[in-house]
Amino acid sequence: MNRIHPVLLLSASLLVPAFAKTNPFAGRWDIDITSPRGVYPDWMELVEKDGKTEVRVQPRGGSVHPAADVKVDGSKLTLTMNPAHGDSPATTWELSVAGDKLSGVQKRGTEESWPIAGVRAPELKRKMPRNWTTPEALFNGKDLSGWEPTSTTAKNNWIAKDGVLLNEAHGANLRSSRKFDDLKLHIEFNCPNDGNSGIYLRGRYEVQVEYEAVDANDKFHSIGSIYGMVAPSLMLPRRPGTWETFDIMLVGRHVSVARNGKTTIDNQEIPGITGGALDSKEGEPGPFYFQGDHTGGMMYRNITVSVPRK
């Protein structure tokens, strides 16, 4: 996913008990916004840092970023999600909280007003599974059985060719028909120079796949990151146009990523959904999906998944 907004690094560890008791908005929120075209997911986190109230938001697309003009008045919260720019008016939120639920409106200038509904994001604290199932292939290498485009309007340019799942050109994203919760994923990918794609876990958390210009993305938006949320601790050499591997484990909110056999993210918490998420229902299973709406030329193969053994 292309980087749109700068990242403000916040952590739930900044929350202190007194603040949580006095500010009913403290914490993380899974949000749905209802537009004339349908419901789409957002996310918000509010913390106190250095005596100040700070909020970051994840809009429908792009990257998590700090909100501006944050004002809390009892059970009311207002903020600016995106400031005015050129001829585009500011996008603002007006929220109310009652227990573990949010309600309110998103406004874009004085022209639009869309309903907002939210719930506290689940903690998803889980023990590491003792045993996993035998890896199962999700792509048969022959056709798109078990996969379907996420859009009915964008052209589907994904094909199966010579054992490879290939996105021939910019077009629709592709999702698995099956849904998963905790998982281990093995996948081989081949990203062309200037290519940009992503592998979404549970349809909500993007593992970035990109080989754009070296200075186009910081660590939070570079290959192997959880887009905007978790940066790789180890940056490996660029290898555009060659086959590479990801081995990914997701348990609850905690993710580990090995790229080409080297651990680049080690059991790190994913705070919330990333841009392009299919929904905001973090407590539910979800599909894998591959981003195909940026560039063509992306290839994937040898896609296998394991789940905790019951």
Side-chain angles (χ1 to χ4, degrees), residues 136-139 141 163-165 185-189 243 245-246 300-305:
E136 177 184 359
L138 292 185
F139 170 56
V164 171
L165 185 60
L185 172 69
H186 172 82
I187 189 168
E188 297 178 15
F189 65 94
W243 284 103
T245 62
F246 274 137
Y300 298 100
R301 70 183 184 188
N302 294 336
I303 307 165
T304 64
V305 65

Side-chain angles (χ1 to χ4, degrees), residues 49-89:
K49 183 179 180 182
D50 299 328
K52 297 180 180 180
T53 300
E54 295 187 351
V55 174
R56 61 174 175 170
V57 290
Q58 173 62 67
R60 180 183 186 182
S63 182
V64 62
H65 65 279
D69 307 319
V70 176
K71 297 178 182 178
V72 179
D73 183 8
S75 62
K76 305 292 183 181
L77 169 65
T78 59
L79 59 84
T80 298
M81 173 178 268
N82 293 316
H85 179 72
D87 295 332
S88 298

Side-chain angles (χ1 to χ4, degrees), residues 257-280:
V257 178
R259 178 174 153 221
N260 301 331
K262 295 184 180 296
T263 299
T264 54
I265 296 177
D266 187 7
N267 196 33
Q268 296 298 303
E269 184 185 44
I270 304 175
I273 65 172
T274 61
L278 295 178
D279 61 47
S280 64

